Amino acid sequence: MLVPTTIKTLIDEQLPTDMRAFLHSAGECAESNGFRLFLVGGMVRDLLLGRPSRDPDLLVQGTDLTMNGASDLADLLASALGGEVTSRSQFGTAKLNVNGFDTDLITARQETYSLPGALPDVTPATIEEDMARRDFTLNTLAADLSSGSFGDLIDLQNGGDDLEQGTLRILHDRSFQDDPTRLLRAARYETRLGLHMAPDTEAAARRDAEYLGGISGDRIRHELERIFDEPQPELALGRAEDMMFFSYLLSTLEWGPELTRAAQSLRESGYETSPMLFLALLALPLMRDNPEALMTRLNAPVSWAAVIRDTYALRVTLPSLSVENIQPSTVYVKLAGLAPEAILAWSALAPYRSVRGLLLSFQMKWRDVKTHLDGDDLMSLGIPQGPEIGVVLQELLNARLDDVIFTREEEESFVRNRISSNEHT
Ligand code: CTP
């Protein structure tokens, strides 16, 4: 692949008509109001790679270099193109929705870091300065959107050469120290785009991996979330393990090859490998107090904490499933209420084949079994209102799970028999 000097043709060939029209109109509107506007980041990179890209990121440089550039231009675009500004931040960003797609506008800025891993101090800047604060050279490629030079590629950091050669390269030696989340981003880009870190970049990544220890749980979680959203998260997780990133995040954390194999075999067998399945797999090897430590390290919200906790709870429960001729209703009682991702993760990795089978049967079949009759039906059949209703519903469910009864009529006769046998005792 030879990187062209303009991506106008790629925009025309690869983007849907409404997105293309939006980029042209946005460029014209910006120009006539004294702004410089550029398409930046992932979309430029992905257009050059011929990969589908997500919503566009637009970089705004105002005439008077204030942090309001993006917000002011977003207002102008919203009224000119009939869209809506859906959010703005004090860091000079705004989100615009036009024709149903979201565009991020970013005021060109410089970033300085008071401490490694701290959030940056942000000041307005030129596009050249903005490009110099970014993570990797291939993310610094920008396309001019002004009408006279629409699509012209601006490559201030040799991103084009690196893209051509499949090289992921930081812009300066302290990049990972400034922002250690870039380490996890590197693992994600390498595996998603089939890149390799430049030798100097990889050496810096290994040297600076320890800085991961200093970043907040929320920031780690955000990067993990983005990895979990990848088509094959196990590749980025495996690469992060090769680079020892996990042990710096939390000493007990690791992503072994068996976890990669488990994810792949679940996917190949047609099970849904949802993002949270990868959290369950990451938590699966943890013992005793370690799940709590992981929740604390990630500042885990309720949904993450539930997956981590349930994955550990299952580790404790598994031996009790390893019983000959165990009834489905017994399995159900032990597993009901646990996060599906925890069950699916263990279904690939539990020590005994029989236990793995039970976990899958619960997940795919028994979890969804419902009785035909409900509490009202039981009352009309003669069960008095009160705790007995719950007891009988549970008995019905057990009988359904254990294939003792199947139909509504059989449930009704089960209840009638129960009432008459109680009357005789
Ligand atoms: N960026 C950075 N350092 C970070 C995060 C982001 O320099 N820690 C810069 C990168 O230049 C990136 C841009 O901010 O291109 C936007 O970041 P993000 O939204 O995460 O990337 P996208 O390009 O939108 O998405 P992706 O690369 O994942 O496809």
Side-chain angles (χ1 to χ4, degrees):
M1 176 194 70
L2 208 57
V3 170
T5 53
T6 169
I7 60 164
K8 184 169 183 307
T9 319
L10 298 178
I11 290 176
D12 286 345
E13 284 170 358
Q14 292 182 35
L15 293 185
T17 319
D18 54 350
M19 174 77 72
R20 217 184 318 147
F22 167 75
L23 293 178
H24 278 283
S25 315
E28 281 161 20
C29 177
E31 201 176 2
S32 57
N33 286 285
F35 293 92
R36 295 176 75 196
L37 188 65
F38 304 89
L39 179 65
V40 292
M43 186 176 266
V44 180
R45 183 196 65 217
D46 291 340
L47 280 168
L48 287 163
L49 291 171
R51 294 173 58 90
S53 55
R54 303 176 317 165
D55 301 329
D57 288 328
L58 300 182
L59 185 70
V60 183
Q61 185 189 317
T63 36
D64 51 356
L65 286 199
T66 69
M67 286 309 287
N68 296 334
S71 175
D72 292 347
L73 181 60
D75 284 330
L76 289 166
L77 293 176
S79 60
L81 309 176
E84 193 193 346
V85 181
T86 51
S87 70
R88 346 175 171 250
S89 82
Q90 77 216 63
F91 303 109
T93 64
K95 229 180 229 312
L96 176 69
N97 186 284
V98 177
N99 295 337
F101 58 82
D102 281 318
T103 300
D104 281 316
L105 284 94
I106 311 122
T107 309
R109 67 193 194 208
Q110 255 180 327
E111 291 178 347
T112 46
Y113 295 85
S114 52
L115 282 174
L119 287 176
D121 298 317
V122 171
T123 45
T126 61
I127 172 177
E128 290 77 12
E129 289 162 332
D130 186 287
M131 289 301 145
R133 58 117 184 141
R134 290 180 179 250
D135 51 0
F136 303 108
T137 59
L138 46 73
N139 278 340
T140 68
L141 291 163
D144 199 334
L145 294 183
S146 58
S147 51
S149 32
F150 185 87
D152 283 2
L153 202 61
I154 298 165
D155 181 4
L156 300 164
Q157 304 283 345
N158 279 334
D161 285 349
D162 283 337
L163 200 59
E164 251 171 64
Q165 278 147 33
T167 303
L168 191 68
R169 190 190 307 276
I170 45 176
L171 272 52
H172 60 90
D173 187 54
R174 294 173 57 86
S175 180
F176 291 127
Q177 292 179 26
D178 281 349
D179 181 355
T181 63
R182 290 174 175 165
L183 294 160
L184 295 170
R185 292 171 66 84
R188 180 161 60 85
Y189 284 130
E190 273 193 319
T191 50
R192 187 209 307 167
L193 303 174
L195 308 170
H196 294 286
M197 284 191 232
D200 286 358
T201 296
E202 177 154 349
R206 289 187 186 277
R207 180 196 67 201
D208 294 337
E210 62 180 287
Y211 286 87
L212 283 167
I215 49 174
S216 72
D218 289 348
R219 295 187 72 201
I220 297 170
R221 215 177 56 245
H222 177 67
E223 290 307 323
L224 286 179
E225 232 162 22
R226 299 191 66 176
I227 289 179
F228 295 163
D229 275 337
E230 291 285 310
Q232 289 179 274
E234 67 275 14
L235 303 181
L237 295 165
R239 180 63 173 140
E241 176 65 30
D242 290 347
M243 299 289 293
M244 314 248 299
F245 295 162
F246 287 119
S247 60
Y248 287 111
L249 285 176
L250 185 69
S251 61
T252 48
L253 211 54
E254 61 180 316
W255 182 271
E258 71 288 359
L259 300 180
T260 292
R261 282 196 296 276
Q264 289 172 342
S265 84
L266 285 169
R267 188 180 299 113
E268 279 157 20
S269 307
Y271 297 108
E272 197 206 336
T273 49
S274 65
M276 284 293 97
L277 172 69
F278 290 86
L279 178 63
L281 288 169
L282 197 57
L284 187 139
L286 299 178
M287 311 284 274
R288 277 199 291 278
D289 298 336
N290 300 336
E292 283 298 330
L294 179 60
M295 286 183 241
T296 308
R297 182 66 188 95
L298 296 180
N299 191 23
V302 175
S303 56
W304 282 51
V307 170
I308 296 169
R309 197 174 292 122
D310 289 356
T311 305
Y312 180 68
L314 253 177
R315 166 182 288 284
V316 178
T317 302
L318 284 178
S320 71
L321 296 177
S322 182
V323 173
E324 233 173 288
N325 298 325
I326 190 168
Q327 288 294 301
S329 57
T330 311
V331 177
Y332 185 96
V333 169
K334 291 176 189 293
L335 302 185
L338 294 180
E341 297 85 357
I343 293 172
L344 199 55
W346 276 111
S347 78
L349 287 153
Y352 297 105
R353 181 195 284 263
S354 60
V355 172
R356 296 199 292 270
L358 291 173
L359 292 171
L360 278 179
S361 296
F362 173 80
Q363 180 82 354
M364 306 314 293
K365 229 172 26 186
W366 302 333
R367 183 190 276 286
D368 298 322
V369 172
K370 301 263 177 304
T371 55
H372 297 291
L373 302 182
D374 60 18
D376 288 339
D377 296 325
L378 296 193
M379 282 191 280
S380 40
L381 284 166
I383 306 279
Q385 189 168 15
E388 207 183 340
I389 297 278
V391 174
V392 179
L393 282 174
Q394 187 61 53
E395 286 173 8
L396 278 176
L397 183 64
N398 290 350
R400 287 286 308 281
L401 287 164
D402 296 340
D403 287 345
V404 177
I405 54 174
F406 299 89
T407 63
R408 184 181 181 92
E409 292 66 37
E410 285 170 330
E411 286 189 20
E412 285 170 355
S413 53
F414 179 97
V415 176
R416 285 200 195 92
N417 288 342
R418 189 184 187 281
I419 293 170
S420 69
S421 68
N422 278 357
E423 281 166 1
H424 292 104
T425 53

